[in-house]
Amino acid sequence: MPVVISVRGVGKKYRLGATLGNDTLRDHLAQAVGALFGKKNQTEKADESFWALKDVSFDVKQGEIVGVIGRNGAGKSTLLKILSQITEPTEGEIHIKGRMASLLEVGTGFHPELSGRENIFLNGAILGMSQTEIKKKFDEIVAFAEVEKFLDTPVKRYSSGMYVRLAFAVAAHLEPEILVVDEVLAVGDASFQKKCLGKMQDVAQRQGRTVLFVSHNMVAMKSLCTHAILLEKGRMIENGEVEPIINSYLQKASENVWQRNFTNQAEAPGNEKVRFKSICLVPDLKAGETQPTPETPLRVECEFWNSLPDASINLSMSVETRGECVFVSASTPALLNPGQYAGVCQIPGNLLNDGVYTISMQLTKDRSVPLFKFADALTFEVVESRRDFHWHGKWRGVVRPNLEWQYPK
Amino acid sequence: MNTAETPSILASERVIRPRHGLVAVDFGELWRYRELFVFLAWRDILVRYKQTYIGFAWALLQPLMMTVVSTFVFGRIAKMPSGNVPYSMMIYTALLPWLFFANTMTRSSNSLVTSANMISKVYFPRLIIPASAVLGGVVDFGVGLLILAAMMMIFHIQVTLMLLLLPLFFLMALLAAFSMGLWLSALNVKYRDVGYLVPFMVQIGAYVSPVFYMTGMVPEKWRFWYTLNPLCGVIDGFRWCVLGPAFEPYWPGFFAGLTLVLVLLVTGAIHFRSTEKTFADVI
């Protein structure tokens, strides 16, 4: 297969500080006047720059579906923007063979005051379709979006689901030889997502088109992509088969803190009454797993020093995700004297959803007086594992208990 | 690189690399995007009067009200001369091109900033944005022409072959608006000062151009410098075509003004093209 995208040594430098954003004419005039009188350019020291992308080189062959993987700020979006010609690289060169369309957002250029019908034509034109092409596919687009009844309603009166469906439908009917897609699958409901994924697979496999795809959804990546590129801090660190790259990304990506140990009692978190010695997370991983999944049972182990004589003390733990408390669990109190103690709490499997969770641990006296709270002591990620559902989006909810069903009854 | 490519794929090879210095206008690419150009103008027009009660009548109302009010203030109260034609007729022949220029230049100057989202999400030749804003203004001008026709009937203005020259002066107004739009829209991306500057320029412009009076009232010694203003040439041209030879433009100034427009247009286009690569980064 011929190479259709060839990227050679591409880099993009952004300037930080005052020169970025809506700097006013005044600054520049002041600078020019200053320069006239031989003053040194004052912004020089503020002119810090950073490379959002540096030395990136790779080839994409015709018909490949390439996933671009990386954490936030790794340079994925910058790469797509350069490929889509929205912004210019600072250095390097890219050769693209074939008609390319990019989809960095669904519904770009949609105008809320215009009707669905008008927006289809407008959005199609913005994405590079000709009017005849749009006319030919109009019915297909409308059917795909399931908005037949609302074609002449301004889209500002659409529900957000309808809006997104219409926007994606237009984009899905683009027929470029190369398609660049950024995170658009994060939209719509389950059945529509499935439809979108099917459409993309169809585009790539049956019609031999090339797709470059950025997403945080590793399950979708695995099922769609043939190749992957892993970016880290603006540099390409891996390029090849999709599975091993996703695995190494998942390992690196998590900012997991599964263990906090303090050997020196004086410096351990706490106060003159109590201090924590250690907190650690012990997931009951299956062979081959590196991170807990929603099914994995977890154990939280904790050690602490108590300096209070004859005190009724209990341990409690709170689990939070995205700033929200999932639950708080407390032990029964025990009568303690100065010394070192330990406690363990079991979090059963099939309780947490996928996502990043933090654990805080607290010691409380007499079930009412907080002695010390070790906030955000541990951070861990629960990763998606499901293979038996045809649904690639985020499973909603803070918890995902495995409840008993009687079905069919 | 590979011999297996089909010719059609080879034909559309594109190279992306950093550009330095001045960049020329890519007319071939603009032609390929002509449909988008028309669509954006059509959207502007469609959206402009959506959810208004009287809709398109606003395009009629603005010049009509201005004509009535200024006829009363300048014609009746200040008793400004208007040659041998009704004062309101003299005003309207100036307001028609002036309002087109002022509204179009304003919209064109703001066009890039209001399209920030599109600029940071999709590629297309950026020149289309200020250009389609100008095209959108042409429709309002068309509505204004209807008023002109009606007024000519009411005041029994003789229709002459001179009217055939009107499109040429209109073209000059259009180019003047577009050239200013090119400069100001590109500058507006980086310096939002432009947003404050433009309304101010429009207000001053209405007084330094012969909108409410005749060019003939300007003292002889200032004549050339006064008529350097391209809009002065446009307005005189309109009056000349509609109201007769008494309003003939002062040609040395007219051609100097026209040259100024063309210089602004070419430099504006080059400046625009040379800065457009940073639009998505700074907008």
Side-chain angles (χ1 to χ4, degrees), chain A residues 34-341:
Chain A
L36 267 181
F37 293 100
K39 259 196 217 162
K40 228 177 159 281
N41 192 341
Q42 287 182 337
T43 55
E44 237 169 277
K45 60 174 184 285
D47 191 21
E48 282 177 74
S49 59
F50 90 105
W51 289 89
L53 216 57
K54 183 86 180 139
D55 292 329
V56 173
S57 302
F58 60 89
D59 285 332
V60 178
K61 293 188 184 121
Q62 193 185 335
E64 281 184 343
I65 310 184
V66 178
V68 181
I69 305 174
R71 298 169 60 172
N72 288 331
K76 303 181 305 275
S77 299
T78 307
L79 178 63
L80 291 202
K81 277 189 176 175
I82 292 173
L83 279 169
S84 324
Q85 278 188 288
I86 288 162
T87 182
E88 199 168 70
T90 312
E91 56 179 36
E93 226 175 73
I94 300 171
H95 292 255
I96 296 170
K97 289 173 196 163
R99 196 164 88 115
M100 189 173 85
S102 56
L103 206 55
L104 302 195
E105 176 192 65
V106 288
T108 305
F110 260 40
H111 200 290
E113 297 285 353
L114 298 181
S115 70
R117 182 192 307 278
E118 289 160 342
N119 269 310
I120 289 178
F121 278 94
L122 183 68
N123 190 235
I126 288 170
L127 293 174
M129 287 159 119
S130 72
Q131 211 181 333
T132 34
E133 223 177 312
I134 304 168
K135 270 190 189 139
K136 212 171 69 195
K137 295 204 175 136
F138 188 82
D139 293 335
E140 227 179 298
I141 292 173
V142 173
F144 191 89
E146 303 159 23
V147 292
E148 291 90 343
K149 270 186 270 172
F150 308 97
L151 263 186
D152 295 305
T153 311
V155 296
K156 66 176 175 184
R157 310 218 193 284
Y158 278 31
S159 72
S160 56
M162 279 161 65
Y163 184 94
V164 161
R165 284 208 304 274
L166 182 67
F168 190 89
V170 180
H173 289 82
L174 270 174
E175 287 194 342
E177 284 144 346
I178 305 167
L179 183 64
V180 173
V181 188
D182 189 4
E183 288 287 18
V184 286
L185 290 172
V187 298
D189 54 31
S191 63
F192 190 71
Q193 272 199 344
K194 204 174 137 190
K195 214 161 138 182
C196 298
L197 275 173
K199 182 82 192 169
M200 279 187 57
Q201 222 148 11
D202 190 55
V203 161
Q205 285 167 0
R206 280 230 316 258
Q207 306 173 26
R209 301 227 174 77
T210 312
V211 181
L212 215 76
F213 174 47
V214 163
S215 172
H216 283 111
N217 187 328
M218 292 301 140
V219 178
M221 279 269 188
K222 268 188 196 172
S223 66
L224 268 177
C225 300
T226 53
H227 287 73
I229 290 166
L230 176 55
L231 294 177
E232 196 180 283
K233 291 179 186 146
R235 285 167 193 273
M236 191 182 76
I237 54 171
E238 279 184 72
N239 175 12
E241 293 282 312
V242 68
E243 289 257 0
I245 291 183
I246 287 183
N247 289 340
S248 80
Y249 164 71
L250 285 179
Q251 239 160 3
K252 279 189 191 130
S254 50
E255 284 169 295
N256 289 349
V257 183
W258 285 6
Q259 224 176 38
R260 302 292 288 269
N261 278 311
F262 304 91
T263 40
N264 186 348
Q265 190 178 350
E267 287 171 7
N271 47 37
E272 65 284 357
K273 296 168 194 152
V274 286
R275 283 185 195 279
F276 281 96
K277 180 167 187 284
S278 73
I279 298 181
C280 63
L281 177 84
V282 187
D284 187 5
L285 297 173
K286 291 200 193 94
E289 284 179 344
T290 54
Q291 294 206 69
T293 71
E295 291 91 48
T296 311
L298 305 166
R299 203 165 72 243
V300 182
E301 301 176 349
C302 170
E303 293 176 295
F304 63 96
W305 290 290
N306 170 38
S307 312
L308 296 174
D310 206 20
S312 165
I313 291 175
N314 76 293
L315 264 170
S316 63
M317 175 178 83
S318 66
V319 176
E320 289 168 30
T321 185
R322 277 172 279 145
E324 264 186 293
C325 184
V326 183
F327 62 81
V328 177
S329 175
S331 71
T332 48
L335 212 56
L336 303 183
N337 278 308
Q340 186 185 321
Y341 298 88

Side-chain angles (χ1 to χ4, degrees), chain B:
Chain B
M1 240 177 273
N2 197 307
T3 50
E5 293 122 334
T6 59
S8 71
I9 289 180
L10 259 183
S12 52
E13 162 146 11
R14 199 152 22 120
V15 182
I16 301 172
R17 61 160 73 94
R19 287 173 296 180
H20 300 287
L22 302 179
V23 184
V25 177
D26 185 346
F27 288 102
E29 190 184 41
L30 285 178
W31 177 247
R32 281 199 301 284
Y33 279 89
R34 62 192 179 279
E35 281 189 357
L36 180 59
F37 167 58
V38 177
F39 263 122
L40 288 180
W42 166 80
R43 180 190 72 171
D44 277 358
I45 297 161
L46 222 54
V47 165
R48 206 178 304 153
Y49 303 111
K50 279 256 171 162
Q51 217 174 14
T52 56
Y53 187 67
I54 61 168
F56 224 82
W58 279 111
L60 286 169
L61 218 57
Q62 192 198 6
L64 270 182
M65 290 307 287
M66 276 191 78
T67 308
V68 170
V69 171
S70 48
T71 301
F72 183 71
V73 174
F74 296 108
R76 291 286 147 79
I77 299 177
K79 297 211 182 340
M80 301 260 266
S82 60
N84 53 355
V85 295
Y87 189 81
S88 58
M89 202 62 219
M90 190 202 72
I91 284 277
Y92 190 72
T93 44
L95 270 181
L96 181 62
W98 170 256
L99 285 179
F100 165 75
F101 169 81
N103 290 340
T104 306
M105 180 188 76
T106 306
R107 270 200 294 269
S108 191
S109 304
N110 292 325
S111 60
L112 284 178
V113 172
T114 49
S115 309
N117 182 258
M118 267 196 325
I119 287 173
S120 55
K121 295 295 181 191
V122 195
Y123 174 77
F124 51 87
R126 307 307 188 200
L127 266 171
I128 283 183
I129 296 177
S132 69
V134 173
L135 185 65
V138 174
V139 176
D140 284 358
F141 179 79
V143 174
L145 275 183
L146 296 179
I147 304 179
L148 181 69
M151 284 178 72
M152 284 174 76
M153 280 202 283
I154 293 167
F155 292 108
H156 304 292
I157 305 287
Q158 208 171 4
V159 176
T160 65
L161 281 178
M162 285 294 289
L163 278 178
L164 293 178
L165 287 178
L166 203 69
L168 290 180
F169 293 104
F170 170 65
L171 187 68
M172 182 167 162
L174 188 138
L175 291 182
F178 184 45
S179 61
M180 292 299 281
L182 279 177
W183 268 107
L184 294 172
S185 61
L187 287 172
N188 202 4
V189 170
K190 199 162 181 197
Y191 308 106
R192 294 292 148 90
D193 309 65
V194 172
Y196 299 95
L197 186 67
V198 169
F200 186 62
M201 279 168 62
V202 167
Q203 266 175 5
I204 304 262
Y207 294 103
V208 291
S209 305
V211 177
F212 303 111
Y213 53 91
M214 294 183 294
T215 313
M217 293 169 67
V218 177
E220 196 79 44
K221 54 182 174 178
W222 298 338
R223 183 69 49 86
F224 178 76
W225 298 108
Y226 180 80
T227 53
L228 252 183
N229 170 8
L231 260 293
C232 174
V234 170
I235 291 169
D236 284 346
F238 265 70
R239 286 183 178 150
W240 185 47
C241 293
V242 178
L243 303 176
F247 293 90
E248 183 169 346
Y250 176 67
W251 295 109
F254 176 86
F255 284 109
L258 182 62
T259 312
L260 186 65
V261 169
L262 295 177
V263 168
L264 277 176
L265 185 67
V266 173
T267 53
I270 292 171
H271 172 257
F272 190 97
R273 286 281 290 162
S274 307
T275 49
E276 73 177 350
K277 61 181 175 190
T278 62
F279 286 174
D281 299 333
V282 296
I283 205 160

